[in-house]
Amino acid sequence: MSAPKSNRDAEGLDVADRRTVSRNFSWMLFGNVVTAASNWLIIAVIARLATPHVVGEYAYALALCQPLIMLSQLNLRSLQATDTEDRNPFHDYFTLRLVCSAVCILTLGMLCLVLRPSAHTMAVIMIVGLSMSFDSISDVIYGYLQQQERMKVIGISNALKGSSALLALGVTLFVTRDLFWGVVASATASAAVLLLFDLGNVWLHREGQAPSRPTLIVVRSERVPVLLQLAKSAVPMGMVMMLCSLTTSTPRLAVGQFLGTYELGVFAAMMSIIGMGRIVVNALGQAATPRMARHLASGERQKFYSTFRALMLVGGVLSLAAPIGAYVIGEEVIVMIYGPAYGGTRSILTWCMFAGAISYLASLVGYAITAARVFVAQLHLLIAVCVVGVVSSWFLVPMAGLTGAAWSFAAAMAVQGVGSIVLLRGRLANR
């Protein structure tokens, strides 16, 4: 008799598991492609319909809002996705996200009062922050769905959110020629997807399983200590995400401070192209994180290593292609996309994509660290990365302009990548 056909591949991985990861990756990639393309096209639309000054105003709002939003999220999505023991029900995560989002908006308002931008810029900042808060609430729902590996719903939601925000902002900006009304329309689109699609899918369940109908909000006095404990455990990861965002925002803030909003608009347009490669990085990392966490929890180190090697292989190919592609694209294509005001930027784009290539690899190692539930050590690393980013930006931007801003981001990402590898090796050696 012939031996039964093995259901494992050459690496010892269950074929069904590999197919599930592949399918999940495909849906996450679909959603992330649409989201990243929409974010990039928003910059392109603003560049086409307005001036680099307006692009700079929008980029300034993003640079201020994103670190605060990242902190308020406390990276609860990753905690949910890797919570293999169901230590906290969904409503704990959801309630905490609502509270943190409200605090974030209040903090953003106080920050605007301190910085004293123009009334128009302040209004844009507040609406952008509100729009990001809607997306943040959707994100905690994604964490619940990701834990169940319902990546199809997440992919569809991301696609709806990105495309509707782009359409709303583009049409409104074309009609009004006012960035404020454009971001109002975009925020309205994000709120609509949250209310009409995301919240409804919380009650949907996987085919063939008992219904999963978590309560969205439970405000009871006995839950307060639980929420405080959850927040305490999540703060290090929230700080990690804030510092990651701040590292990205720092060169933009430095350009705005030293060179002005016109140059910031040009730099933001070049940096936005990095997002086109990040869609693959985020889709890979988000699809693989829950499974890598389960492999480590069950002691299946070989499966963890196999998944991690696959992640880094894709990241390596992407990292090689990014700066080469940027150089080949040429100034003519950049002018065709953004307009004649963005001519003479081939060198800046190449350096930006070189920095982005380093960030792709660092991010993939970061997903593996999160799967291994290394949280506090990441905070220490990201503090160092942020310090490198701040110091290098404030030194290199005045000296080398937009090229110096790209160099600064590359230096910070290099420190993050090397440090992440050290942390991961140490964590696996101690398991």
Side-chain angles (χ1 to χ4, degrees), residues 6-19 21 291 295 300-310:
S6 173
N7 65 341
R8 294 183 178 273
D9 60 16
E11 294 179 343
L13 297 178
D14 189 274
V15 175
D17 283 353
R18 184 176 288 279
R19 289 174 179 170
V21 172
R291 195 163 296 272
H295 290 334
E300 298 173 314
R301 295 172 66 94
Q302 184 58 43
K303 289 186 176 182
F304 173 87
Y305 285 128
S306 297
T307 304
F308 179 66
R309 284 196 295 268

Side-chain angles (χ1 to χ4, degrees), residues 274-292:
I274 292 177
M276 301 307 293
R278 195 170 294 280
I279 58 178
V280 180
V281 171
N282 289 338
L284 277 170
Q286 291 167 1
T289 295
R291 195 163 296 272
M292 286 194 295

Side-chain angles (χ1 to χ4, degrees), residues 76-419:
L76 292 180
R77 178 174 174 178
S78 292
L79 286 179
Q80 287 175 277
T82 59
D83 186 6
T84 56
E85 300 176 0
D86 292 325
R87 298 170 185 172
N88 291 94
F90 171 74
H91 57 71
D92 283 348
Y93 293 103
F94 190 84
T95 303
L96 183 58
R97 176 59 58 84
L98 288 181
V99 172
C100 290
S101 295
V103 172
C104 176
I105 293 298
L106 291 175
T107 303
L108 185 60
M110 291 187 290
L111 183 61
C112 285
L113 293 177
V114 172
L115 296 176
R116 295 182 179 276
S118 68
H120 187 271
T121 300
M122 182 183 298
V124 169
I125 291 171
M126 295 305 300
I127 297 300
V128 168
L130 185 63
S131 179
M132 288 184 172
S133 294
F134 294 145
D135 293 342
S136 180
I137 296 171
S138 293
D139 178 77
V140 81
I141 295 175
Y142 296 164
Y144 171 76
L145 298 171
Q146 186 176 349
Q147 187 184 40
Q148 298 184 356
E149 298 194 40
R150 291 167 56 187
M151 308 303 187
K152 178 178 179 179
V153 179
I154 300 175
I156 293 173
S157 176
N158 274 324
L160 287 173
K161 196 180 299 292
S163 58
S164 61
L166 170 63
L167 180 63
L169 184 142
V171 171
T172 305
L173 185 61
F174 177 78
V175 172
T176 66
R177 301 292 169 164
D178 190 331
L179 180 62
F180 169 75
W181 293 113
V183 295
V184 167
S186 177
T188 302
S190 293
V193 175
L194 168 62
L195 295 174
L196 301 178
F197 186 83
D198 295 336
L199 291 177
N201 274 292
V202 173
W203 285 277
L204 297 180
H205 61 278
R206 290 179 293 175
E207 183 178 355
Q209 294 193 8
S212 175
R213 302 178 184 274
T215 304
L216 289 180
I217 307 176
V218 176
V219 183
R220 301 192 187 104
S221 58
E222 63 267 22
R223 301 304 299 175
V224 173
V226 177
L227 293 177
L228 290 176
Q229 182 59 40
L230 178 60
K232 180 180 178 181
S233 63
V235 162
M237 282 305 297
M239 293 292 293
V240 165
M241 298 306 294
M242 181 197 72
L243 290 170
C244 286
S245 179
L246 189 59
T247 300
T248 303
S249 297
T250 295
R252 292 178 170 89
L253 295 174
V255 170
Q257 176 70 27
F258 293 113
L259 306 179
T261 56
Y262 186 96
E263 288 76 8
L264 175 57
V266 173
F267 183 69
M270 299 302 103
M271 289 292 289
S272 67
I273 301 178
I274 292 177
M276 301 307 293
R278 195 170 294 280
I279 58 178
V280 180
V281 171
N282 289 338
L284 277 170
Q286 291 167 1
T289 295
R291 195 163 296 272
M292 286 194 295
R294 283 195 292 274
H295 290 334
L296 286 179
S298 59
E300 298 173 314
R301 295 172 66 94
Q302 184 58 43
K303 289 186 176 182
F304 173 87
Y305 285 128
S306 297
T307 304
F308 179 66
R309 284 196 295 268
L311 287 177
M312 297 307 294
L313 177 62
V314 175
V317 173
L318 183 63
S319 296
L320 285 174
I324 296 175
Y327 185 81
V328 172
I329 283 175
E331 181 179 339
E332 295 78 10
V333 177
I334 296 300
V335 171
M336 181 180 66
I337 295 173
Y338 294 120
Y342 298 86
T345 56
R346 183 198 300 268
S347 175
I348 297 170
L349 175 62
T350 303
W351 280 112
C352 286
M353 293 307 297
F354 173 76
I358 299 174
S359 74
Y360 299 154
L361 296 175
S363 294
L364 289 175
V365 182
Y367 279 111
I369 293 175
T370 298
R373 299 185 72 83
V374 179
F375 300 138
V376 177
Q378 280 195 73
L379 176 59
H380 298 157
L381 171 62
L382 266 297
I383 290 174
V385 172
C386 190
V387 169
V388 170
V390 171
V391 173
S392 59
S393 291
W394 255 251
F395 175 74
L396 291 174
V397 170
M399 181 182 72
L402 299 185
T403 301
W407 291 346
S408 170
F409 184 59
M413 290 300 96
V415 172
Q416 180 179 338
V418 173

